[in-house]
Amino acid sequence: DTEVTQTPKHLVMGMTNKKSLKCEQHMGHRAMYWYKQKAKKPPELMFVYSYEKLSINESVPSRFSPECPNSSLLNLHLHALQPEDSALYLCASSQDIGQGARKTQYFGPGTRLLVL
Amino acid sequence: GNSVTQMEGPVTLSEEAFLTINCTYTATGYPSLFWYVQYPGEGLQLLLKATKADDKGSNKGFEATYRKETTSFHLEKGSVQVSDSAVYFCALIRTGGGADGLTFGKGTHLIIQP
Protein backbone atom coordinates (compact mmCIF):
# COMPACT_ATOMS: atom_id res chain seq x y z
CA ASP A 1 0.00 0.00 0.00
CA THR A 2 1.47 3.33 -1.07
CA GLU A 3 -1.35 5.63 -0.03
CA VAL A 4 -0.99 9.18 1.15
CA THR A 5 -4.25 10.90 2.09
CA GLN A 6 -4.92 14.63 2.21
CA THR A 7 -7.83 16.63 3.59
CA PRO A 8 -9.68 18.66 2.62
CA LYS A 9 -9.83 18.02 -1.11
CA HIS A 10 -10.91 21.60 -1.80
CA LEU A 11 -10.61 24.76 0.34
CA VAL A 12 -11.80 28.30 -0.23
CA MET A 13 -10.58 30.93 2.23
CA GLY A 14 -10.46 34.66 2.63
CA MET A 15 -7.26 36.57 3.18
CA THR A 16 -7.98 37.00 6.91
CA ASN A 17 -8.85 33.35 7.59
CA LYS A 18 -6.80 30.70 9.35
CA LYS A 19 -7.05 27.17 8.00
CA SER A 20 -5.04 23.95 8.05
CA LEU A 21 -4.24 21.27 5.51
CA LYS A 22 -3.74 17.73 6.72
CA CYS A 23 -1.70 14.87 5.31
CA GLU A 24 -1.48 11.31 6.60
CA GLN A 25 0.42 8.17 5.67
CA HIS A 26 0.53 4.72 7.25
CA MET A 27 3.45 3.24 5.33
CA GLY A 28 5.92 3.75 8.17
CA HIS A 29 7.70 6.43 6.17
CA ARG A 30 9.92 8.82 8.13
CA ALA A 31 10.22 11.65 5.60
CA MET A 32 7.33 13.88 4.54
CA TYR A 33 7.15 16.78 2.11
CA TRP A 34 4.95 19.72 1.10
CA TYR A 35 4.92 20.91 -2.51
CA LYS A 36 3.00 23.72 -4.18
CA GLN A 37 1.79 23.32 -7.77
CA LYS A 38 0.44 26.17 -9.87
CA ALA A 39 -1.64 25.44 -12.95
CA LYS A 40 0.33 23.94 -15.88
CA LYS A 41 3.56 23.97 -13.84
CA PRO A 42 5.56 21.26 -12.08
CA PRO A 43 5.41 20.99 -8.27
CA GLU A 44 7.76 23.21 -6.26
CA LEU A 45 9.22 22.03 -2.95
CA MET A 46 8.18 23.96 0.15
CA PHE A 47 9.21 21.89 3.20
CA VAL A 48 10.87 18.58 4.08
CA TYR A 49 10.48 16.80 7.42
CA SER A 50 12.74 13.94 8.43
CA TYR A 51 11.98 11.99 11.61
CA GLU A 52 9.50 14.73 12.60
CA LYS A 53 12.15 17.46 12.36
CA LEU A 54 12.13 20.22 9.75
CA SER A 55 15.05 19.59 7.40
CA ILE A 56 14.34 21.97 4.51
CA ASN A 57 12.39 25.22 4.31
CA GLU A 58 12.65 26.58 0.78
CA SER A 59 12.35 30.22 1.90
CA VAL A 60 8.58 29.90 2.20
CA PRO A 61 6.73 32.97 3.57
CA SER A 62 5.82 32.74 7.25
CA ARG A 63 2.10 32.77 6.41
CA PHE A 64 2.69 29.05 5.71
CA SER A 65 3.54 27.16 8.91
CA PRO A 66 4.25 23.42 8.77
CA GLU A 67 3.88 21.02 11.65
CA CYS A 68 4.72 17.34 12.03
CA PRO A 69 3.01 16.12 15.23
CA ASN A 70 4.03 12.48 14.70
CA SER A 71 5.58 10.20 12.10
CA SER A 72 2.28 9.66 10.27
CA LEU A 73 0.90 13.19 10.18
CA LEU A 74 1.92 16.41 8.47
CA ASN A 75 -0.03 19.65 8.72
CA LEU A 76 0.26 22.94 6.90
CA HIS A 77 -1.22 25.90 8.78
CA LEU A 78 -2.33 28.82 6.65
CA HIS A 79 -2.83 32.40 7.82
CA ALA A 80 -3.27 35.71 6.01
CA LEU A 81 -2.78 34.19 2.58
CA GLN A 82 -2.75 36.14 -0.65
CA PRO A 83 -4.70 35.37 -3.86
CA GLU A 84 -1.41 34.36 -5.52
CA ASP A 85 -1.18 31.52 -2.99
CA SER A 86 -4.07 29.79 -4.75
CA ALA A 87 -2.67 26.47 -5.99
CA LEU A 88 -2.73 22.69 -5.56
CA TYR A 89 -0.88 21.72 -2.38
CA LEU A 90 0.64 18.27 -2.55
CA CYS A 91 1.94 16.17 0.30
CA ALA A 92 4.42 13.34 -0.28
CA SER A 93 6.26 10.79 1.81
CA SER A 94 9.33 8.59 1.39
CA GLN A 95 10.84 5.77 3.41
CA ASP A 96 13.43 8.18 4.72
CA ILE A 97 16.15 10.47 3.34
CA GLY A 98 18.71 7.71 2.95
CA GLN A 99 20.26 6.54 -0.29
CA GLY A 100 18.71 5.43 -3.55
CA ALA A 101 15.21 3.97 -3.60
CA ARG A 102 14.59 4.97 0.03
CA LYS A 103 14.02 8.53 -1.24
CA THR A 104 11.26 7.50 -3.67
CA GLN A 105 8.40 9.91 -3.00
CA TYR A 106 4.71 8.95 -3.04
CA PHE A 107 2.19 11.74 -3.42
CA GLY A 108 -1.27 12.35 -2.07
CA PRO A 109 -4.19 13.63 -4.18
CA GLY A 110 -3.61 17.22 -3.11
CA THR A 111 -5.70 20.04 -1.66
CA ARG A 112 -6.90 22.59 -4.18
CA LEU A 113 -6.79 25.97 -2.43
CA LEU A 114 -8.51 29.13 -3.59
CA VAL A 115 -7.77 32.37 -1.75
CA LEU A 116 -10.29 35.15 -2.28
CA GLY B 1 22.58 22.58 -10.07
CA ASN B 2 20.24 19.82 -11.13
CA SER B 3 17.82 20.20 -14.03
CA VAL B 4 15.47 18.10 -16.14
CA THR B 5 14.46 18.86 -19.73
CA GLN B 6 11.47 17.25 -21.41
CA MET B 7 9.26 18.00 -24.38
CA GLU B 8 6.27 20.06 -23.22
CA GLY B 9 3.68 19.27 -25.86
CA PRO B 10 0.86 18.90 -26.09
CA VAL B 11 1.67 15.61 -27.74
CA THR B 12 -1.32 14.24 -29.62
CA LEU B 13 -1.43 10.61 -30.76
CA SER B 14 -4.02 8.18 -32.01
CA GLU B 15 -4.99 5.17 -29.93
CA GLU B 16 -2.59 2.21 -30.34
CA ALA B 17 0.25 4.47 -31.52
CA PHE B 18 3.80 4.14 -30.18
CA LEU B 19 4.75 6.71 -27.57
CA THR B 20 8.11 8.27 -26.77
CA ILE B 21 8.53 11.22 -24.42
CA ASN B 22 12.12 12.40 -24.25
CA CYS B 23 13.76 13.34 -20.96
CA THR B 24 17.35 14.45 -20.40
CA TYR B 25 18.93 15.61 -17.18
CA THR B 26 21.87 17.48 -15.71
CA ALA B 27 23.01 16.48 -12.25
CA THR B 28 26.10 16.09 -10.13
CA GLY B 29 26.83 12.43 -9.51
CA TYR B 30 24.29 9.79 -10.44
CA PRO B 31 20.76 10.68 -9.43
CA SER B 32 17.71 8.45 -9.12
CA LEU B 33 15.24 9.02 -11.96
CA PHE B 34 11.45 8.91 -12.00
CA TRP B 35 8.42 9.31 -14.21
CA TYR B 36 5.26 10.60 -12.52
CA VAL B 37 1.82 10.88 -14.15
CA GLN B 38 -0.87 13.41 -13.23
CA TYR B 39 -4.43 12.84 -14.42
CA PRO B 40 -6.76 15.88 -14.59
CA GLY B 41 -7.70 17.16 -11.15
CA GLU B 42 -5.52 14.64 -9.32
CA GLY B 43 -2.17 14.37 -7.55
CA LEU B 44 0.99 12.78 -8.91
CA GLN B 45 1.28 9.01 -9.25
CA LEU B 46 4.64 7.30 -9.44
CA LEU B 47 4.74 5.54 -12.81
CA LEU B 48 8.23 4.04 -12.74
CA LYS B 49 11.73 4.61 -11.41
CA ALA B 50 15.39 3.70 -11.87
CA THR B 51 18.07 4.24 -9.25
CA LYS B 52 21.26 3.36 -11.13
CA ALA B 53 22.70 3.35 -14.63
CA ASP B 54 21.26 0.77 -17.07
CA ASP B 55 18.28 0.06 -14.79
CA LYS B 56 15.00 -0.28 -16.65
CA GLY B 57 11.84 0.84 -14.90
CA SER B 58 8.53 -0.52 -16.13
CA ASN B 59 4.87 -0.34 -15.16
CA LYS B 60 1.48 -0.59 -16.95
CA GLY B 61 3.20 -1.08 -20.33
CA PHE B 62 5.44 1.97 -19.89
CA GLU B 63 9.23 1.59 -19.86
CA ALA B 64 12.26 3.85 -19.37
CA THR B 65 15.98 3.00 -19.21
CA TYR B 66 18.54 4.99 -17.22
CA ARG B 67 21.22 5.93 -19.77
CA LYS B 68 24.22 7.48 -18.05
CA GLU B 69 26.19 8.04 -21.27
CA THR B 70 23.43 10.18 -22.79
CA THR B 71 22.02 11.45 -19.44
CA SER B 72 18.57 10.39 -20.59
CA PHE B 73 15.50 8.58 -19.27
CA HIS B 74 13.05 8.47 -22.18
CA LEU B 75 9.53 7.13 -21.54
CA GLU B 76 8.10 4.63 -24.05
CA LYS B 77 4.91 2.65 -24.53
CA GLY B 78 4.16 0.36 -27.43
CA SER B 79 0.42 0.99 -27.76
CA VAL B 80 -1.26 3.91 -26.02
CA GLN B 81 -4.87 4.07 -24.91
CA VAL B 82 -7.25 6.98 -24.45
CA SER B 83 -6.93 6.43 -20.69
CA ASP B 84 -3.21 7.32 -20.92
CA SER B 85 -4.14 10.97 -21.57
CA ALA B 86 -2.47 12.91 -18.76
CA VAL B 87 0.52 15.09 -17.91
CA TYR B 88 3.80 13.18 -17.51
CA PHE B 89 6.65 14.55 -15.37
CA CYS B 90 10.24 13.36 -15.53
CA ALA B 91 12.05 13.96 -12.24
CA LEU B 92 15.32 13.28 -10.43
CA ILE B 93 16.66 13.27 -6.90
CA ARG B 94 20.18 13.09 -5.53
CA THR B 95 21.02 9.46 -4.78
CA GLY B 96 23.14 10.11 -1.71
CA GLY B 97 21.68 10.47 1.75
CA GLY B 98 20.20 13.78 2.89
CA ALA B 99 16.98 15.71 2.61
CA ASP B 100 16.07 16.68 -0.94
CA GLY B 101 13.10 17.59 -3.03
CA LEU B 102 12.47 16.24 -6.48
CA THR B 103 13.68 18.27 -9.46
CA PHE B 104 10.96 18.10 -12.11
CA GLY B 105 10.83 18.74 -15.81
CA LYS B 106 8.11 21.10 -17.01
CA GLY B 107 5.73 18.22 -17.82
CA THR B 108 4.45 16.78 -21.09
CA HIS B 109 0.73 16.96 -21.80
CA LEU B 110 -0.27 13.79 -23.67
CA ILE B 111 -3.57 13.59 -25.55
CA ILE B 112 -4.69 10.26 -27.00
CA GLN B 113 -7.49 10.40 -29.56
CA PRO B 114 -9.79 7.43 -30.23
Coordinates of all heavy atoms in Angstrom, one line a residue, chain B residues 1-36:
Chain B
G1 N 23.7 23.2 -10.7 CA 22.6 22.6 -10.1 C 22.0 21.5 -10.9 O 22.4 21.3 -12.1
N2 N 20.9 20.9 -10.4 CA 20.2 19.8 -11.1 C 19.2 20.4 -12.0 O 18.5 21.4 -11.7 CB 19.6 18.8 -10.1 CG 20.6 18.1 -9.3 OD1 21.7 18.0 -9.7 ND2 20.1 17.7 -8.1
S3 N 18.9 19.8 -13.2 CA 17.8 20.2 -14.0 C 17.3 19.0 -14.9 O 18.1 18.1 -15.1 CB 18.2 21.4 -14.9 OG 19.2 20.9 -15.9
V4 N 16.1 19.1 -15.3 CA 15.5 18.1 -16.1 C 14.8 18.8 -17.3 O 14.1 19.8 -17.1 CB 14.4 17.3 -15.4 CG1 13.7 16.3 -16.3 CG2 15.1 16.6 -14.2
T5 N 15.0 18.3 -18.5 CA 14.5 18.9 -19.7 C 13.6 17.8 -20.4 O 14.0 16.7 -20.6 CB 15.6 19.3 -20.7 OG1 16.4 20.3 -20.0 CG2 14.9 20.0 -21.9
Q6 N 12.4 18.2 -20.7 CA 11.5 17.2 -21.4 C 10.6 18.0 -22.4 O 10.4 19.2 -22.2 CB 10.6 16.4 -20.4 CG 9.7 17.3 -19.6 CD 8.8 16.4 -18.7 OE1 9.0 16.4 -17.4 NE2 7.8 15.7 -19.2
M7 N 10.1 17.4 -23.4 CA 9.3 18.0 -24.4 C 8.0 18.4 -23.7 O 7.4 17.6 -22.9 CB 9.0 17.1 -25.6 CG 8.5 15.7 -25.2 SD 8.9 14.4 -26.3 CE 8.1 14.9 -27.8
E8 N 7.4 19.6 -24.0 CA 6.3 20.1 -23.2 C 4.9 19.7 -23.9 O 3.9 19.5 -23.2 CB 6.4 21.6 -23.0 CG 7.5 22.0 -22.1 CD 7.5 23.4 -21.8 OE1 6.5 24.0 -21.6 OE2 8.7 24.0 -21.8
G9 N 4.9 19.6 -25.2 CA 3.7 19.3 -25.9 C 2.8 20.5 -26.0 O 3.3 21.6 -26.0
P10 N 1.4 20.2 -26.2 CA 0.9 18.9 -26.1 C 1.3 17.9 -27.2 O 1.6 18.4 -28.3 CB -0.6 19.2 -26.2 CG -0.8 20.4 -26.9 CD 0.4 21.3 -26.6
V11 N 1.4 16.7 -26.8 CA 1.7 15.6 -27.7 C 0.4 14.9 -28.0 O -0.3 14.4 -27.1 CB 2.7 14.6 -27.2 CG1 2.9 13.4 -28.1 CG2 4.0 15.3 -26.9
T12 N 0.0 14.9 -29.3 CA -1.3 14.2 -29.6 C -1.1 13.0 -30.5 O -0.4 13.1 -31.5 CB -2.2 15.2 -30.4 OG1 -2.4 16.4 -29.6 CG2 -3.6 14.6 -30.7
L13 N -1.6 11.9 -30.1 CA -1.4 10.6 -30.8 C -2.8 9.9 -30.9 O -3.7 10.2 -30.1 CB -0.5 9.7 -30.0 CG 1.0 10.1 -29.8 CD1 1.7 9.2 -28.9 CD2 1.7 10.2 -31.2
S14 N -2.8 9.0 -31.9 CA -4.0 8.2 -32.0 C -3.9 6.9 -31.1 O -2.8 6.5 -30.8 CB -4.2 7.8 -33.5 OG -4.4 8.9 -34.3
E15 N -5.0 6.4 -30.7 CA -5.0 5.2 -29.9 C -4.2 4.1 -30.7 O -4.2 4.0 -31.9 CB -6.4 4.7 -29.7 CG -6.6 3.8 -28.5 CD -8.1 3.7 -28.1 OE1 -9.0 3.9 -28.9 OE2 -8.3 3.4 -26.9
E16 N -3.5 3.3 -29.9 CA -2.6 2.2 -30.3 C -1.3 2.7 -31.0 O -0.5 1.8 -31.4 CB -3.3 1.3 -31.3 CG -4.6 0.6 -30.6 CD -5.2 -0.4 -31.5 OE1 -4.8 -0.6 -32.7 OE2 -6.3 -1.0 -31.1
A17 N -1.0 4.0 -31.0 CA 0.2 4.5 -31.5 C 1.4 4.2 -30.5 O 1.1 3.9 -29.3 CB 0.2 6.0 -31.8
F18 N 2.6 4.3 -31.0 CA 3.8 4.1 -30.2 C 4.1 5.5 -29.6 O 4.1 6.5 -30.3 CB 5.0 3.6 -31.0 CG 6.2 3.4 -30.2 CD1 6.4 2.1 -29.6 CD2 7.2 4.3 -30.0 CE1 7.5 1.9 -28.8 CE2 8.3 4.1 -29.3 CZ 8.5 2.9 -28.7
L19 N 4.5 5.5 -28.3 CA 4.8 6.7 -27.6 C 6.2 6.8 -27.2 O 6.8 5.8 -26.6 CB 3.9 6.8 -26.3 CG 4.2 7.9 -25.3 CD1 3.9 9.3 -25.9 CD2 3.6 7.7 -24.0
T20 N 6.8 7.9 -27.4 CA 8.1 8.3 -26.8 C 8.0 9.7 -26.2 O 7.6 10.6 -27.0 CB 9.3 8.2 -27.8 OG1 9.4 6.9 -28.3 CG2 10.6 8.6 -27.1
I21 N 8.4 9.9 -25.0 CA 8.5 11.2 -24.4 C 10.0 11.3 -24.0 O 10.4 10.6 -23.1 CB 7.6 11.5 -23.2 CG1 6.1 11.3 -23.6 CG2 7.8 12.9 -22.7 CD1 5.1 11.5 -22.5
N22 N 10.7 12.3 -24.6 CA 12.1 12.4 -24.2 C 12.3 13.1 -22.9 O 11.6 14.1 -22.6 CB 12.8 13.2 -25.4 CG 12.9 12.3 -26.6 OD1 12.9 11.1 -26.6 ND2 13.1 13.0 -27.8
C23 N 13.4 12.7 -22.2 CA 13.8 13.3 -21.0 C 15.3 13.3 -20.9 O 15.9 12.2 -21.0 CB 13.1 12.6 -19.8 SG 13.7 13.2 -18.2
T24 N 15.9 14.4 -20.7 CA 17.4 14.4 -20.4 C 17.6 15.2 -19.1 O 16.7 16.1 -18.7 CB 18.1 15.1 -21.5 OG1 17.6 16.4 -21.8 CG2 18.0 14.3 -22.8
Y25 N 18.7 15.0 -18.5 CA 18.9 15.6 -17.2 C 20.4 16.1 -17.1 O 21.3 15.6 -17.8 CB 18.6 14.6 -16.1 CG 19.5 13.5 -16.0 CD1 20.7 13.5 -15.2 CD2 19.3 12.3 -16.7 CE1 21.6 12.5 -15.2 CE2 20.1 11.2 -16.6 CZ 21.3 11.3 -15.9 OH 22.2 10.2 -15.8
T26 N 20.5 17.0 -16.1 CA 21.9 17.5 -15.7 C 21.9 17.3 -14.2 O 21.0 17.8 -13.5 CB 22.1 19.0 -16.1 OG1 22.0 19.1 -17.5 CG2 23.5 19.4 -15.7
A27 N 22.9 16.7 -13.7 CA 23.0 16.5 -12.2 C 24.4 16.2 -11.9 O 25.2 15.6 -12.7 CB 22.1 15.3 -11.8
T28 N 24.8 16.5 -10.6 CA 26.1 16.1 -10.1 C 25.9 14.7 -9.6 O 24.9 14.3 -9.0 CB 26.5 17.0 -9.0 OG1 25.5 17.1 -8.0 CG2 26.8 18.4 -9.5
G29 N 26.9 13.8 -9.9 CA 26.8 12.4 -9.5 C 25.8 11.7 -10.3 O 25.5 12.1 -11.5
Y30 N 25.3 10.6 -9.7 CA 24.3 9.8 -10.4 C 23.0 9.8 -9.7 O 22.8 9.1 -8.7 CB 24.9 8.4 -10.6 CG 26.2 8.4 -11.3 CD1 27.3 8.0 -10.6 CD2 26.3 8.8 -12.6 CE1 28.6 8.0 -11.3 CE2 27.5 8.8 -13.3 CZ 28.6 8.4 -12.6 OH 29.8 8.4 -13.2
P31 N 22.0 10.6 -10.2 CA 20.8 10.7 -9.4 C 19.9 9.5 -9.6 O 20.2 8.6 -10.5 CB 20.1 11.9 -10.1 CG 20.6 11.9 -11.5 CD 22.0 11.4 -11.4
S32 N 18.8 9.4 -8.8 CA 17.7 8.4 -9.1 C 16.7 9.2 -10.0 O 16.5 10.4 -9.9 CB 17.0 8.0 -7.8 OG 17.9 7.3 -7.0
L33 N 16.1 8.4 -10.9 CA 15.2 9.0 -12.0 C 13.8 8.4 -11.9 O 13.7 7.3 -11.6 CB 15.8 8.8 -13.4 CG 17.2 9.3 -13.6 CD1 17.7 8.8 -15.0 CD2 17.2 10.8 -13.5
F34 N 12.9 9.3 -12.2 CA 11.5 8.9 -12.0 C 10.6 9.5 -13.2 O 10.9 10.5 -13.7 CB 10.9 9.5 -10.7 CG 11.7 9.2 -9.5 CD1 12.7 10.0 -9.1 CD2 11.4 8.0 -8.7 CE1 13.5 9.7 -7.9 CE2 12.1 7.7 -7.6 CZ 13.2 8.6 -7.2
W35 N 9.5 8.8 -13.4 CA 8.4 9.3 -14.2 C 7.2 9.3 -13.3 O 6.8 8.3 -12.7 CB 8.2 8.5 -15.5 CG 9.1 8.9 -16.6 CD1 10.2 8.2 -17.0 CD2 8.9 10.0 -17.5 NE1 10.7 8.9 -18.1 CE2 10.0 10.0 -18.4 CE3 8.0 11.0 -17.6 CZ2 10.2 10.9 -19.4 CZ3 8.1 12.0 -18.6 CH2 9.2 11.9 -19.5
Y36 N 6.5 10.5 -13.2 CA 5.3 10.6 -12.5 C 4.2 11.0 -13.5 O 4.5 11.7 -14.5 CB 5.3 11.7 -11.5 CG 6.1 11.3 -10.2 CD1 7.5 11.6 -10.1 CD2 5.5 10.8 -9.1 CE1 8.2 11.2 -9.0 CE2 6.2 10.4 -8.0 CZ 7.5 10.7 -7.9 OH 8.2 10.3 -6.8

